[in-house]
Structures are given as structure tokens and as C-alpha cells.
Amino acid sequence: MRTRRLATALIAATALLVSACGGTDTTARESAEPKSGGSLTWGVETEPTTLNPHLNGQSNTKMLLRNTYETLLARTQDGGFVPWLASGHEISADGLTYTFTLREDVKFTDGNPLTAAGVARNFTTMQDLSYSGGFSSGPLSNLAGVQARDEHTVVFTLKNPYAPFLDFASGFDIISPAAFDKPQLKSGGPEIAGTGPFILDRYVKGQELHFRKNPDYNWAPSIAAHQGPAHLDEVTYRFLPESSVRVGALTSGQVDLIEGVSGNDASLFRDDPEYTYQTALNNGSPYSLYWNATFGPATDVRVRKALNAAVDVDAVLASIYRGQRTRGWGITSTVDTPFYDKSIEKTYGADTAAANRLLDEAGWTAKDSDGFRTKDGQRLTIDLIQAQSTVRDQREVLLQAVQAQAKQNAGIDLKLSYVDLGTYAELRKKNTFGSIANSDTITGGIDIENHWYPSSSKGTLNYSRAGDPELSAWLQAAAATTDVAERAKQYSQLQKFALVDKSYALPLYIPENQIAAAAHVYGAGFRPYKQLPESAYDIWIDRG
């Protein structure tokens, strides 16, 4: 491994706060002045299924699109809001009117200015089911109307008080109004202009995305490490889905940094002065197995409880990730400090004896020649579906370990299927699946709503198909108040009911991101609050 000079650098304050950092001593890197120019190559795990930020539901690809598309407000590490494309905002006393005042110096990279009418069109178009699909049935269902009061003032009127609305509206990516007339709209790409520090100018499917600097950029939020245009001239993101390939590309100098480091490979970078290594737990919902309570054997609550008791999650995580991942217990991430309730921890878990007793009680008493439980000649099979586009972080290996435990400990046939997006959508539509594995990084309680409202209304991610009226009552009570403690109380009640009483899901681990970078790369880090990898805006290089 060739020797590199370990230079010093300015590290963004937000990156230091957000990241759980390892590797090189960051204090030794804080005194150097950033340098402008140069190109960066970043090896990433996941290729976007669409480059339209409105329609992209892959958390792991937000870092790419964030280079080009921006939001009305930015978030601080503690979840607060600071101006970005909007210079300020007000909420009426009755909670029904949200008014955003826009900056007057912002323009899209296609030359169009940022206007209230353009912002309003983003939201009204998103309400159109033919454009947004299921995305329109979530927070937008609470929106009565949006209008431009004047050129730089946009006003949102709600049907009812809805506490998560600021979280949603402030974080909604704004695209140029001209984009809505482009044939490339739904797929996204170079025709779809944003206001960001980089311009997307090339996409080679299966290979890479290329961005060039936006020389006119001058409206970064106050939490950024600098103002004005980006330091780098260009950035290339190479799609390298295999962890070993990403690691090899970094250690051989083919790329400058990578995201997505397996538990086995963390030690290669964590204590090596030729690299920096950072990790951050994501906000949102844990990676969980949602048991379909309306199809197949999991319609019986005893089977769902047996599924949860049959899997020793701690042992599986230790085996697959070598202690480098955090156990999930609840309906939110452990870093979702307003709403995470620690009391859920250890209230359920691995119990082989209980799993087998429950299955006996449910009538699954016989076994076939392969060792799987049967009833009335039918095998106890749960079809677990995973969208291929969201497979990352060794999840396929993780699910194989879960599958093995389900068989070994309780005789359950957990059948794994990795499917394309079309098949995934069809299985969900027909409700012919036993379980879906999913996580998300949506915040403000919206992630909880998506998973626990009925799938026929606002539950766009309700893969358990839970429809208990208690769930909706708790969600409605939480959304109707801005009292954080009261909202947390409602979510806590929902959590115990959904996970302990009904066993609708089995949380596995809290998704996290890792960034390993060569020592000549500075300023890489994580987005405050959501803690996803940040864009390349504050990154600079010094190759010595």
C-alpha cells in the first residue's frame, strides 16, 4: 500500500456532530485552507431507479441527487430548521397555514428564477396521482391548497392541523417548473434542472453519474462549511454494488472515497492513517421484516409471535456484521430522539421454546421430510419479498441467516425472493406476499404513518397490512398536536401494540452509512439529522 501524506483540513462542523468518526485524528486536519478545483470519484453501492427526486424512494441514493436538488429549509443536527431556498417561514396559530418567503437571488441551472409559482407547481403536481403514484396519499393528503401570494411568497393551507407538515414541506426537493414539460420528467436526468451546487450532465446506466460545478451557486444554508460555489470542479459517482469491489477500488486508488463498508472491512480503514473512516446511524425506521397479517400463515397472531421468537437477532447481527451494526427494537431509529422509546427494548425477542409452543397451539404440529412444520398437508411457508433495487449492506446475507434460524429453531420455511420493481409492485397490489423487508429514512413521524396507517389510505409502506382502528387513532392524535411529548406518548402506545401485542413486524437493525476516504479527501461527512451521506458541496482535495 503506497504511502500518502496525511495533510490537515477543515472538517465541516456539522459532519463532526453527525458522524461517529473513526480512523485518522480529525483534530490534526482542521487547520488547512480548502483548495478549489479538481475532480473526485466516489464509489457507491446503489444505482438510482429514477433520477427524479420526487419519485426516488431509495434513501441510499439521496446523496447523489442532493448535489442538484435542494429544499426550502435545511435541518440542524437536533432537528431544527434553518433557511435555505426559503429565507424564512411562519405557521399560523391554528396550525392551518404555512407561509414561506423565498430568497430572491436563487435560479435554477436552466436559467429560470426560483419563484413562488414554481414552488407551488412542484407541490400541486405531486398531488396528481398520475405523476406521483402512492406518494400523493401521505402528508400531501392533508394539503387543501398551495398558492403564490406574490413572486416570492408561497402559502400552504391545510385541511386540518398536521404536525409533521413542516418536516415534509421543508424537505421536499424543488425542481425547475420547466422540467414538468420535459419528456425525461419521470426518469429524471440532465433535462431536470435544480438549484444545487452541481449540474447533472451525464448518466451512463449501470456505470456512473457525472456532475459538474454550478459556477453561479451562492445560496448554501448557514450550516454548510462554506459559501459560494463548490470546491470541486466535477464529481463522478461510480456504481459498484459489491462491497469487495468498492474496497478494492479505494485501496488501489481507482476511486477517492466509498460509501457502504461491510462489517468485515471496517478494520481496513478505521485505524489506518492513510484513510478516514466515518459512520452514522440513519434516522427513520429500522430495517424490519413486516409480516403480512392478511395473507398466508401470518394471518394467525400466534404464527407472527413465533416468527419473532424464532430469530435470535443479536446473534445474527454479530455473525454477519462483526459487531458493526446496531440492533433495532422499535418502530423508529434509536437516534430519533423525539420519538424513540427505549422501553420497547427486550420486551420481546429470541425464545425458541415459546416459538415452538405457539406453533403447536396454532396447529402446525407435523413436520415434512425437510424438517418444516406442516398443517393439513401444507408447509408453513412465509414468502419474504425484497426489492432488488434496495438490497444493500449485505442484507441478502442477513436474510439468509434469518432464514436459517427460522428453520432450525422453529421449522418455519422462510422463502426468500429478490424481485424487480415491476414484480414488487404487482405482489403488493395483489397482496400475495408473506413478508416484505424494508427500512426508510423519512422523519418527523411520517415514517410511522407510512407504515401503520391502513394500506388503503395513507399507509404507503404498510407491508404488514395492519388495519386495527387503534393504530389510526394513535396516529391521528399524534398528528393533531405540536406537543412533542404528547406525540411521543401516542407513538409509544402504537409501538407496543404493533410489535409486542400483535407482532406485525420484526425490527432487525438500524440502517447506517459508512464513508471511507483516502487521506487527500476533506470535508466528506453526513447530512445533519437524517444522517445520510452529504453531497459533495463541502468536499475538497489536496493530493500533496
Side-chain angles (χ1 to χ4, degrees):
M1 187 180 295
R2 65 179 182 276
T3 302
R4 296 185 179 91
R5 180 173 67 85
L6 180 59
T8 57
L10 173 68
I11 301 294
T14 52
L16 289 174
L17 287 170
V18 173
S19 308
C21 297
T24 56
D25 180 6
T26 57
T27 60
R29 294 171 57 90
E30 293 179 356
S31 61
E33 287 293 322
K35 294 185 177 181
S36 295
S39 61
L40 181 88
T41 302
W42 191 325
V44 297
E45 184 172 12
T46 308
E47 181 174 3
T49 56
T50 173
L51 300 176
N52 180 323
H54 293 168
L55 307 180
N56 183 291
Q58 300 165 284
S59 298
N60 216 38
T61 64
K62 300 295 186 184
M63 56 179 285
L64 287 70
L65 302 181
R66 194 165 162 91
N67 286 295
T68 297
Y69 306 107
E70 300 180 317
T71 58
L72 295 174
L73 303 177
R75 305 300 292 271
T76 58
Q77 182 56 27
D78 63 0
F81 299 88
V82 295
W84 198 349
L85 297 182
S87 58
H89 71 283
E90 295 180 355
I91 305 173
S92 63
D94 62 6
L96 295 177
T97 304
Y98 288 70
T99 303
F100 290 85
T101 303
L102 306 181
R103 291 183 61 139
E104 299 184 13
D105 59 342
V106 178
K107 65 178 180 179
F108 294 95
T109 55
D110 61 6
N112 286 303
L114 176 73
T115 65
V119 171
R121 185 172 182 186
N122 272 255
F123 283 87
T124 55
T125 303
M126 197 65 184
Q127 286 184 297
D128 183 350
L129 189 63
S130 66
Y131 171 66
S132 63
F135 288 107
S136 62
S137 62
L140 280 170
S141 65
N142 299 280
L143 183 61
V146 54
Q147 62 179 356
R149 177 180 295 170
D150 55 43
E151 190 173 3
H152 295 103
T153 307
V154 59
V155 181
F156 299 86
T157 304
L158 304 188
K159 300 172 184 176
N160 44 266
Y162 179 63
F165 187 74
L166 183 61
D167 195 291
F168 168 75
S170 66
F172 183 74
D173 292 298
I174 305 300
I175 67 177
S176 171
F180 293 109
D181 300 318
K182 302 290 186 181
Q184 203 177 60
L185 176 61
K186 286 198 172 184
S187 63
E191 288 185 351
I192 313 304
T195 59
F198 290 94
I199 301 169
L200 171 60
D201 63 5
R202 185 174 73 247
Y203 172 43
V204 182
K205 188 174 178 59
Q207 297 183 37
E208 66 182 33
L209 273 175
H210 182 267
F211 297 83
R212 70 177 189 276
K213 178 191 293 190
N214 175 6
D216 299 322
Y217 188 77
N218 196 30
W219 41 85
S222 61
I223 58 173
H226 81 288
Q227 297 295 309
H231 299 305
L232 297 165
D233 290 331
E234 58 180 351
V235 183
T236 301
Y237 292 90
R238 290 181 55 195
F239 307 129
L240 305 174
E242 296 296 327
S243 178
S244 60
V245 174
R246 290 193 302 278
V247 169
L250 177 57
T251 56
S252 64
Q254 298 176 61
V255 301
D256 300 293
L257 70 166
I258 60 174
E259 61 85 23
V261 180
S262 73
N264 290 335
D265 292 331
S267 60
L268 297 175
F269 306 109
R270 189 170 46 230
D271 302 313
D272 189 334
E274 294 191 349
Y275 302 95
T276 59
Y277 180 72
Q278 305 175 68
T279 68
L281 294 175
N282 296 160
N283 223 312
S285 297
Y287 183 64
S288 306
L289 306 182
Y290 294 91
W291 311 117
N292 188 342
T294 63
F295 176 83
T299 56
D300 189 329
V301 66
R302 293 170 296 186
V303 172
R304 299 197 300 272
K305 287 180 177 291
L307 283 160
N308 284 7
V311 180
D312 187 340
V313 175
D314 290 315
V316 168
L317 295 180
S319 173
I320 303 303
Y321 298 111
R322 303 296 189 266
Q324 298 300 307
R325 298 296 182 270
T326 301
R327 168 76 187 264
W329 285 100
I331 56 174
T332 63
S333 168
T334 54
V335 295
D336 192 347
T337 49
F339 303 134
Y340 182 67
D341 180 7
K342 270 183 71 71
S343 69
I344 191 72
E345 296 178 7
K346 303 187 186 304
T347 57
Y348 64 93
D351 188 336
T352 300
N356 285 282
R357 183 183 68 253
L358 286 161
L359 292 178
D360 287 343
E361 292 174 1
W364 296 93
T365 53
K367 285 191 175 181
D368 62 20
S369 59
D370 293 320
F372 293 111
R373 285 179 176 261
T374 63
K375 181 169 68 172
D376 300 329
Q378 298 297 314
R379 177 180 287 185
L380 177 50
T381 299
I382 306 292
D383 293 310
L384 196 161
I385 307 302
Q386 169 79 68
Q388 188 65 49
S389 61
T390 59
V391 175
R392 66 178 184 91
D393 195 23
Q394 296 180 284
R395 289 178 175 177
E396 69 280 16
V397 183
L398 171 63
L399 293 182
Q400 288 171 6
V402 171
Q403 178 188 50
Q405 286 217 347
K407 177 183 181 181
Q408 176 182 327
N409 295 338
I412 300 170
D413 179 19
L414 201 60
K415 184 179 178 182
L416 307 181
S417 297
Y418 301 92
V419 300
D420 58 44
L421 285 178
T423 303
Y424 185 66
E426 188 68 13
L427 288 169
R428 289 172 59 186
K429 181 180 179 180
K430 292 182 176 179
N431 196 42
T432 53
F433 63 88
S435 175
I436 284 181
N438 178 258
S439 65
D440 68 59
T441 56
I442 304 169
T443 54
I446 299 171
D447 57 318
I448 303 174
E449 293 183 344
N450 286 346
H451 281 107
W452 300 109
Y453 265 125
S455 58
S456 58
S457 59
K458 301 177 184 179
T460 55
L461 300 179
N462 185 343
Y463 302 131
S464 67
R465 297 299 191 250
D468 308 80
E470 297 96 326
L471 297 172
S472 294
W474 285 315
L475 292 171
Q476 289 163 4
T481 178
T482 56
D483 185 316
V484 173
E486 180 59 28
R487 293 183 68 196
K489 176 183 175 182
Q490 301 298 328
Y491 294 143
S492 179
Q493 294 179 88
L494 183 153
Q495 174 176 261
K496 180 181 181 299
F497 180 83
L499 299 184
V500 180
D501 298 343
K502 296 291 187 176
S503 296
Y504 284 132
L506 175 61
L508 297 179
Y509 77 102
I510 308 300
E512 70 171 56
N513 289 96
Q514 311 83 31
I515 298 175
H520 61 260
V521 177
Y522 306 91
F526 298 94
R527 187 197 310 189
Y529 192 53
K530 289 199 174 186
Q531 307 199 154
L532 297 166
E534 186 55 284
S535 74
Y537 174 64
D538 281 325
I539 295 179
W540 57 282
I541 55 178
D542 181 1
R543 299 182 187 274

